[in-house]
Amino acid sequence: MAFLRRKPPLSLLLLLLLTSPAHSLTCSSQNLSNNLYTNCTDLPTLNSSLHWTHVAKTSSLSIAFVAPPSKPDGWIAWGINPTGTGMAGSQALVAFKDSNGSMTVKTYDVVSYSSLVEGEISFEVSDSRAEFSDGSMKIFATVKLPETMTEVNHVWQVGGAVKDGAPVKHEFQPENLNAKGKLKLKLTEKAQSNRTTAAGSPAIAPNPSSSSGSRNGVMYVILMLIIGALISN
Ligand SMILES: *[C@@H]1O[C@H](CO)[C@@H](O)[C@H](O)[C@H]1NC(C)=O
Ligand SMILES: *[C@@H]1O[C@H](CO)[C@@H](O)[C@H](O)[C@H]1NC(C)=O
Ligand SMILES: *[C@@H]1O[C@H](CO)[C@@H](O)[C@H](O)[C@H]1NC(C)=O
Ligand SMILES: *[C@@H]1O[C@H](CO)[C@@H](O)[C@H](O)[C@H]1NC(C)=O
Ligand SMILES: *[C@@H]1O[C@H](CO)[C@@H](O)[C@H](O)[C@H]1NC(C)=O
């Protein structure tokens, strides 16, 4: 009986261990076009990420948006909303498999949830193309932004089907509905401010390995708990 009672915690721990690295599509695991992009942001929903480079001088934003479509014959989309924060009003790039089987990128004015208008959008888009490999689609493009823009409201989405050359409505799960955010193209004044000390020597940069260090610490504790549970069995 004691043996039976000890079992659940062990399997629970194992389950935690096996399911915790949920995101397979993180910035760190991707190797895009020989690191062509200066920045990468893991997006909070839909297992997606955005690689990007912002060139302030030309106010252009080059992006690679990566996400798994909800079905292989589906689509992925990324867009900027110049007038609000949600899906409605966004100017979107949508990638899917064309009728001849090759990946294509189309631009849409997302007027509302029920009205997509294919055609020119309010941003100039160049060099757009799409890829599909290992279950993920990628949208590559360069977007010309208004000169003073230092952050953009962006949206992203995935869907499971394409009909008559157009994406079919996506699901309305929390992950879909929360697929929006603010992309800061520049760090704030504060972060960029002159960090020289009174003596004139540069301040010490934050230790980049500290987060992986604490992660290792967590893994160590979990392993020790498992070993402990095994021994007590
Ligand atoms: C990323 O690309 C580099 C150079 O092409 C290669 O050496 C490295 O193994 C790749 N890493 C991953 C995780 O694919
Ligand atoms: C994200 O990835 C996890 C683990 O691979 C999976 O369980 C989950 O369903 C994925 N979510 C979406 C929206 O694809
Ligand atoms: C598929 O059609 C597009 C135009 O709709 C064309 O640009 C592309 O080259 C075609 N791909 C193949 C593999 O035929
Ligand atoms: C983007 O990357 C560059 C180069 O690594 C860095 O200097 C800059 O602060 C990053 N921008 C943001 C907003 O994280
Ligand atoms: C930073 O501070 C130093 C010393 O006060 C000054 O010489 C330098 O011009 C400052 N740099 C910037 C970018 O403000």
Side-chain angles (χ1 to χ4, degrees):
M1 268 309 157
F3 172 78
L4 281 176
R5 255 184 282 129
R6 265 194 217 106
K7 247 192 154 164
L10 174 59
S11 44
L12 223 149
L13 279 171
L14 281 173
L15 192 72
L16 265 176
L17 194 70
L18 289 173
T19 55
S20 62
H23 285 221
S24 51
L25 289 163
T26 56
C27 287
S28 55
S29 71
Q30 287 169 28
N31 217 1
L32 268 192
S33 310
N34 308 317
N35 296 324
L36 209 63
Y37 302 90
T38 55
N39 306 73
C40 184
T41 307
D42 282 322
L43 301 175
T45 72
L46 302 171
N47 293 343
S48 53
S49 56
L50 186 74
H51 299 251
W52 55 277
T53 301
H54 178 238
V55 182
K57 217 170 165 181
T58 56
S59 63
S60 73
L61 177 65
S62 296
I63 60 109
F65 171 69
V66 186
S70 38
K71 298 213 179 86
D73 286 330
W75 51 270
I76 66 167
W78 178 84
I80 292 175
N81 192 333
T83 55
T85 56
M87 198 60 68
S90 60
Q91 307 291 301
L93 298 151
V94 184
F96 51 85
K97 217 183 276 174
D98 217 343
S99 49
N100 66 8
S102 59
M103 288 297 295
T104 183
V105 180
K106 290 184 179 172
T107 50
Y108 287 89
D109 179 358
V110 185
V111 178
S112 70
Y113 276 102
S114 52
S115 169
L116 291 183
V117 179
E118 195 204 329
E120 293 228 327
I121 57 174
S122 65
F123 298 98
E124 193 186 303
V125 178
S126 57
D127 303 326
S128 67
R129 63 188 177 86
E131 280 178 11
F132 189 14
S133 61
D134 299 329
S136 283
M137 289 184 179
K138 300 185 180 90
I139 298 176
F140 300 90
T142 298
V143 179
K144 182 111 174 139
L145 300 176
E147 265 165 40
T148 52
M149 220 176 229
T150 54
E151 59 181 35
V152 295
N153 288 317
H154 67 146
V155 295
W156 55 96
Q157 201 50 260
V158 304
V162 172
K163 198 170 172 238
D164 303 329
V168 173
K169 205 173 269 190
H170 59 80
E171 287 185 53
F172 279 64
Q173 298 298 321
E175 281 227 53
N176 300 93
L177 297 176
N178 292 323
K180 57 187 178 184
K182 208 179 267 297
L183 182 68
K184 289 198 157 78
L185 303 171
K186 254 189 203 164
L187 295 178
T188 56
E189 290 285 311
K190 207 172 172 185
Q192 267 184 339
S193 72
N194 199 332
R195 285 189 175 204
T196 48
T197 61
S201 61
I204 295 158
N207 181 0
S209 67
S210 61
S211 71
S212 75
S214 70
R215 197 195 152 101
N216 285 344
V218 171
M219 292 305 278
Y220 176 79
V221 169
I222 290 174
L223 268 175
M224 280 303 141
L225 282 169
I226 289 174
I227 289 168
L230 284 170
I231 288 170
S232 64
N233 270 342

